[in-house]
Amino acid sequence: MHVQEWLETVPAVAVYALVGLVIGLESLGIPLPGEIILVSSALLASQHGHIDPVVLGASATAGAIIGDSIGYAIGRKGGRPLLAWLGKKFPKHFSEGHIATAERSFEKWGMWAVFFGRFVALLRIFAGPLAGVLRMPYWKFLIANVLGGIVWAGGTTAVIYYVGIVAESWLKRFSWLGLVAAVLVGLTSMLVLKRRAKKAQPVPAAE
């Protein structure tokens, strides 16, 4: 069965739930491909009418906001020991260099780091927990969290959906084009952050 034909058999509510769950878990601090799932689902919505893009965008937004809020609460309660534990469990994502890069962003931009962090793969994972660890006032975090979630999730859904509508006949031939593009964007942002993280890693003191 062709992949598009198979996707047509998936209930719309399952797609909404999957998008909200994956993005929520990613925002909470678990490394998952939230952006890839959102882009793929928005592209699917543009090609198949049984998925409502408004409901899809709302599900993604809700997942982003709720996940980040839970991550903030966990970070505030767990503090620095939580970051150390995450570093052991997910060394590629929560290395000392990545944490140092994220901390500098928070120190420089404050609540805007939460807002703009939505658009950078690794910072989406850090934003909630790190804001809690650094004890950012919750009202500031909440404003940036809600606005960032709406702009990122809603904006991504709208852009991909309308691009799919305009180029529907072409995209049908390359059903995974949106997914590939999302992967490339995600990898690029991760490589940039990794390069910055390496520069931020402390230099071992000479014995």
Side-chain angles (χ1 to χ4, degrees):
M1 183 183 293
H2 191 275
V3 64
Q4 291 298 334
E5 295 175 350
W6 177 79
L7 287 172
E8 286 181 344
T9 67
V10 178
V13 65
V15 176
Y16 304 145
L18 176 65
V19 169
L21 179 62
V22 171
I23 291 178
L25 291 175
E26 181 190 37
S27 301
L28 189 152
I30 300 176
L32 290 174
E35 188 170 48
I36 293 175
I37 294 295
L38 179 57
V39 168
S40 301
S41 300
L43 183 60
L44 176 63
S46 72
Q47 299 175 26
H48 305 290
H50 72 294
I51 296 179
D52 188 331
V54 175
V55 178
L56 178 64
S59 300
T61 300
I65 294 172
I66 294 172
D68 242 16
S69 296
I70 295 174
Y72 175 91
I74 293 174
R76 192 173 180 88
K77 184 175 182 180
R80 294 284 176 178
L82 173 65
L83 296 181
W85 180 82
L86 288 172
K88 293 178 181 179
K89 292 293 183 180
F90 306 102
K92 291 184 179 180
H93 296 87
F94 290 91
S95 66
E96 290 183 6
H98 287 165
I99 292 174
T101 299
E103 282 187 304
R104 285 204 303 272
S105 298
F106 271 73
E107 290 172 359
K108 183 176 182 179
W109 301 105
M111 61 187 292
W112 291 108
V114 177
F115 178 86
F116 289 112
R118 278 285 171 203
F119 301 88
V120 182
L122 286 177
L123 286 182
R124 272 198 305 276
I125 302 172
F126 281 119
L130 189 56
V133 170
L134 298 178
R135 297 190 173 277
M136 175 183 290
Y138 183 69
W139 68 269
K140 288 186 176 181
F141 171 80
L142 183 61
I143 292 174
N145 179 26
V146 171
L147 292 179
I150 292 173
V151 173
W152 174 72
T156 299
T157 302
V159 169
I160 298 300
Y161 176 78
Y162 285 112
V163 166
I165 291 294
V166 171
E168 182 177 4
S169 61
W170 185 63
L171 287 173
K172 280 183 177 178
R173 300 179 184 178
F174 304 95
S175 58
W176 294 105
L177 183 62
L179 176 60
V180 172
V183 170
L184 291 176
V185 171
L187 287 175
T188 300
S189 62
M190 288 179 67
L191 289 174
V192 171
L193 279 179
K194 284 183 178 180
R195 181 176 297 180
R196 293 181 179 178
K198 286 182 180 179
K199 294 180 179 179
Q201 287 179 344
V203 179
E207 296 181 358

